[in-house]
Amino acid sequence: MATSKSMFWKPDDTDLFTAERESQIEDQTTSLVFNANRSLNLVAQRKRLPIARYKTEILYCLENFQTLVIVGECGSGKSTQIPQFLYEHGWHSKGLIGITQPRRISAITLATRVSEEMGDVIGSGSVGVAVRFLSKCSGNTKIKYMTEGILLREILANPLLSQYSIIMIDEAHERSVLTDCVLGLLKKIAKKRSSFKIIISSATLDADLFSDFFNFKTKQSPKDTSMILTVEGRMYENPIFYLQEPCADYVRETVNTVIKIHSKEAPGDILAFLTGQEEVYQAINMLRDHMELLGLDETQLKVLPMHGSLTHHDQLRVFFHTPRSTRKVIIATNIAETSVTIPGIAYVVDCGFIKLKWYVAEHQMDMLIIVPASQACCRQRAGRAGRTKSGKVFRLFTEEHYNQLPIVKPPEMRRTDLSMTILSLKALGIDNILRFNFPSPPPAKNMLASIELLHAYGALDGEGQLNSPDGYMMAEMPLNPALSKMLLASCDLGCSDEILSIVAMMQVQQFFSRPNSGQGAINARRARRNFEVAEGDLITMLNVYNAFVSNGCTKEFCGQYHIMYRHLKRVVEIRNQLASIIVKQFKLKLVSCGTEIIKIQKAITAGLFPFAAYLHHSGSYRMVRGDCEVSIHPTSCLYTEKQPSWIVFAEVLHTTKLFVKDITVIDSRWLLELAPHYFDKSTARN
């Protein structure tokens, strides 16, 4: 690693009160003094944030322009302070102040922070939050944090968003499908409602693109309707270090770097970025092995995961203060990349890679591929340090490699399946999807492939209009069309109770623990065999869920069978929410098929039939549509078994070759029975 540079450390005056100090408060009087001091400390922090110097300019621009594009560096305070500026200036009297975030954890933590600064209780006071499967809002809510998916559903219910006076799209540089879809719809709303205001903000953003997109200037109305404002950023020093030579294994190098930081650097928590959940747990297991060899325990080095499949409570654990003698190490996916300020982070370790979805129109499927991160992504990661104290950033690649990285990653709209987007726009009454005004129009072949897939699912008719009722129900379900179709088909086949459990399990990426040590790995594999069946991974998931519930949802059961308790608890929460939607909103019945596994397999086939593959005489699998060669992933329960002739799968991972995951064994005749419009006898091969 590069030689350390000298630097000046600034005192950590933004984190004066730790959990350890709070625990020493013994009586109510001291507690009141503590809370008063804490409030004063929050006020002082707000005044020191760079964004505070731009309050007047922000309010002036909103009075004179319909759209304000704010480019603010990490740590400027834009995500927490701008909504409060608007509230203090009276914008809440004209309607709700809405702020969108690309991820649920960002929305929750920012709402919690703002409610704390305003002296409110989140949900019952002026600040509320709404994310998928969780809503804390009331009649008193004036500032509402939410994910972009929630805003899209609110547009479905109220196309002009008449309840909102202003919408702020935060972290717009992520350019997710939902971001671009929402921006296209907000442009339509802005043309209809001249009093409606839009703020677009990010630390790294192509400001001109969005300013031009929302500028409605014409010959008849020559006045600009959008404005760009740049805000200075970080409050603390944040030097960056590179490797002198490339590393062969970035997961192992991440672990080694964390150990070096702990042994050589000053106190401060560590945030390490990896590409996915499996790598996160691989690194955590390796770290714990190192800790055991070095004689370290959790009172010295506390290791925590952070990824999208964690329960709400487990995601929030990374924000809890630790004793002064304990260094916190957070191993995270890119969920921690934006809008999340984790207290105490002084060191960031960046692996330099990211996992992206990439849509292949010819095969009508998304592939997960691991690619080098963009420069914008690396800057965002670096911005997680130096927020509340001085820090350092360690990049596990050379400086020359960084200079060769793309400036930004391609917008998700141009590289992903658009089925859900098309369903949502169709439900809004937008008929000509190909001419819808997106900030970055998707490739026409991707759009046409998604329309064809929706027609195959029965969501769209021959004219491209939503079918009733299936099309409308699929548009309103918080699931992708394949899983929505699977649920609807299960209601007809009489196995909706089992399919609901499978769909909930599919929302969690991993539920079996995988110890690194030899004997631990053997024991975990033996435990897993108790649930595995010849019908495939999805039925195995159902067995795990049923066993967990029948054993009282206890930690003891999970420990015995090497199952991640927190993930199964999350599955239970998701299943309950989905059940409420199915029964209360759609008036469908949950019916169990008992031991009739074929009904479950047929329902799965009804949703995943476009992703069918057959065993080729060469020993590999070929997709029926497109004749693409795929292989069973090593984590599948079918990997070491006798290979079935026909399968369907739910996920593709592209590493050394195309691997398929979440597999179910099927009978080829079901494809002709359930999707005769999609297959014919000349296509199905025996």
Side-chain angles (χ1 to χ4, degrees), residues 73-114:
E73 293 181 19
C74 297
S76 61
K78 59 189 180 301
S79 302
T80 58
Q81 302 310 305
I82 291 176
Q84 294 183 71
F85 296 162
L86 299 173
Y87 181 86
E88 292 162 3
H89 197 62
W91 278 92
H92 65 282
S93 63
K94 305 175 185 179
L96 282 173
I97 301 167
I99 308 96
T100 71
Q101 293 293 325
R103 297 181 181 85
R104 53 182 282 132
I105 187 63
S106 303
I108 294 167
T109 53
L110 287 172
T112 304
R113 175 71 179 186
V114 172

Side-chain angles (χ1 to χ4, degrees), residues 5-61:
K5 303 175 183 177
S6 60
M7 59 177 287
F8 294 98
W9 286 88
K10 297 182 180 179
D12 180 14
D13 55 357
T14 63
D15 189 20
L16 298 176
F17 299 99
T18 63
E20 182 181 17
R21 184 178 290 186
E22 288 184 45
S23 67
Q24 297 171 358
I25 299 171
E26 296 177 352
D27 55 47
Q28 186 176 7
T29 305
T30 310
S31 179
L32 290 172
V33 172
F34 170 79
N35 288 330
N37 288 339
R38 192 166 187 276
S39 297
L40 290 171
N41 188 40
L42 289 173
V43 171
Q45 286 182 52
R46 289 190 64 195
K47 289 181 178 178
R48 286 199 303 271
L49 288 169
I51 197 75
R53 297 195 291 274
Y54 295 86
K55 179 178 179 180
T56 303
E57 287 84 351
I58 290 170
L59 295 174
Y60 172 81
C61 289

Side-chain angles (χ1 to χ4, degrees), residues 250-251 274-279 351-358 367-373 381 652-656:
Y250 61 80
V251 178
L274 292 172
T275 67
Q277 185 178 324
E278 290 183 8
E279 289 182 358
C351 72
F353 287 89
I354 191 170
K355 188 180 286 186
L356 291 181
K357 278 187 177 180
W358 206 275
M367 294 182 185
L368 278 175
I369 58 175
I370 296 174
V371 297
R381 291 177 173 183
V652 180
L653 181 63
H654 190 188
T655 52
T656 54

Side-chain angles (χ1 to χ4, degrees), residues 89 243 255 282 619 686:
H89 197 62
L243 289 179
V255 173
Q282 182 186 349
N686 295 318

Side-chain angles (χ1 to χ4, degrees), residues 609-648:
F609 65 81
F611 316 110
Y614 64 95
L615 183 61
H616 193 256
H617 59 76
S618 64
S620 63
Y621 282 91
R622 297 283 181 89
M623 288 188 65
V624 177
R625 186 71 173 249
D627 205 35
C628 177
E629 185 175 309
V630 296
S631 302
I632 294 176
H633 195 272
T635 57
S636 170
C637 68
L638 299 174
Y639 182 67
T640 57
E641 302 300 319
K642 181 182 177 181
Q643 292 182 306
S645 298
W646 287 82
I647 59 171
V648 291

Side-chain angles (χ1 to χ4, degrees), residues 3 44 78 91 106 125 128 167 254 284 406 547 583 602 628 637 649 679:
T3 307
K78 59 189 180 301
W91 278 92
S106 303
I167 290 289
T254 297
I284 287 174
V583 176
K602 279 189 171 184
C628 177
C637 68
F649 54 88
F679 298 101

Side-chain angles (χ1 to χ4, degrees), residues 338-600:
T338 57
S339 288
V340 177
T341 300
I342 302 173
I345 294 295
Y347 307 101
V348 165
V349 181
D350 182 2
C351 72
F353 287 89
I354 191 170
K355 188 180 286 186
L356 291 181
K357 278 187 177 180
W358 206 275
Y359 186 66
V360 181
E362 292 77 14
H363 308 306
Q364 294 182 328
M365 64 182 182
D366 277 323
M367 294 182 185
L368 278 175
I369 58 175
I370 296 174
V371 297
S374 64
Q375 291 185 16
C377 174
C378 292
R379 287 197 297 272
Q380 281 291 115
R381 291 177 173 183
R384 299 307 101 195
R387 302 294 290 269
T388 59
K389 63 195 303 183
S390 297
K392 293 181 180 180
V393 178
F394 298 90
R395 289 177 174 165
L396 305 183
F397 45 89
T398 64
E399 190 168 6
E400 181 184 3
H401 174 76
Y402 173 78
N403 293 329
Q404 294 172 353
L405 292 175
I407 304 300
V408 295
K409 64 184 178 184
E412 191 178 13
M413 181 65 71
R414 300 186 63 83
R415 56 177 173 81
T416 194
D417 177 22
L418 300 171
S419 301
M420 199 64 221
T421 304
I422 292 170
L423 274 180
S424 300
L425 294 177
K426 286 287 185 181
L428 281 166
I430 297 171
D431 293 329
N432 196 340
I433 302 295
L434 292 174
R435 292 190 178 275
F436 182 75
N437 196 355
F438 292 108
S440 297
K445 65 176 183 178
N446 290 9
M447 188 76 81
L448 291 171
S450 297
I451 291 173
E452 181 185 349
L453 186 62
L454 290 173
H455 177 62
Y457 281 137
L460 300 180
D461 61 21
E463 302 297 320
Q465 304 301 314
L466 275 181
N467 273 328
S468 181
D470 285 11
Y472 287 94
M473 286 194 285
M474 289 172 71
E476 292 183 31
M477 282 190 189
L479 299 167
N480 68 51
L483 299 187
S484 299
K485 179 64 177 179
M486 193 188 300
L487 266 176
L488 294 176
S490 70
C491 294
D492 297 330
L493 290 167
C495 57
S496 53
D497 192 69
E498 287 78 10
I499 292 296
L500 188 64
S501 300
I502 290 172
V503 168
M505 288 289 284
M506 292 175 73
Q507 306 308 303
V508 176
Q509 294 179 9
Q510 182 178 337
F511 44 88
F512 284 114
S513 62
R514 297 192 180 94
N516 263 3
S517 61
Q519 190 58 46
I522 292 170
N523 291 339
R525 180 60 185 159
R526 284 175 180 167
R528 184 173 175 175
R529 296 290 292 179
N530 288 284
F531 306 99
E532 292 179 346
V533 289
E535 287 81 6
D537 299 317
L538 299 190
I539 310 298
T540 298
M541 290 181 186
L542 177 62
N543 290 342
V544 172
Y545 178 82
N546 288 340
F548 178 67
V549 173
S550 62
N551 283 274
C553 302
T554 62
K555 287 185 178 180
E556 291 74 20
F557 168 79
C558 292
Q560 180 182 352
Y561 291 100
H562 292 265
I563 296 170
M564 296 180 179
Y565 172 74
R566 58 183 177 274
H567 290 193
L568 267 294
K569 288 293 287 182
R570 173 73 178 144
V571 169
V572 172
E573 293 172 10
I574 292 173
R575 190 187 188 280
N576 290 338
Q577 292 284 346
L578 288 174
S580 177
I581 293 171
I582 293 292
V583 176
K584 295 180 181 178
Q585 187 173 339
F586 299 143
K587 310 300 181 185
L588 300 175
K589 293 182 179 179
L590 291 181
V591 182
S592 173
C593 65
T595 58
E596 296 182 70
I597 303 298
I598 287 181
K599 286 187 176 181
I600 302 173

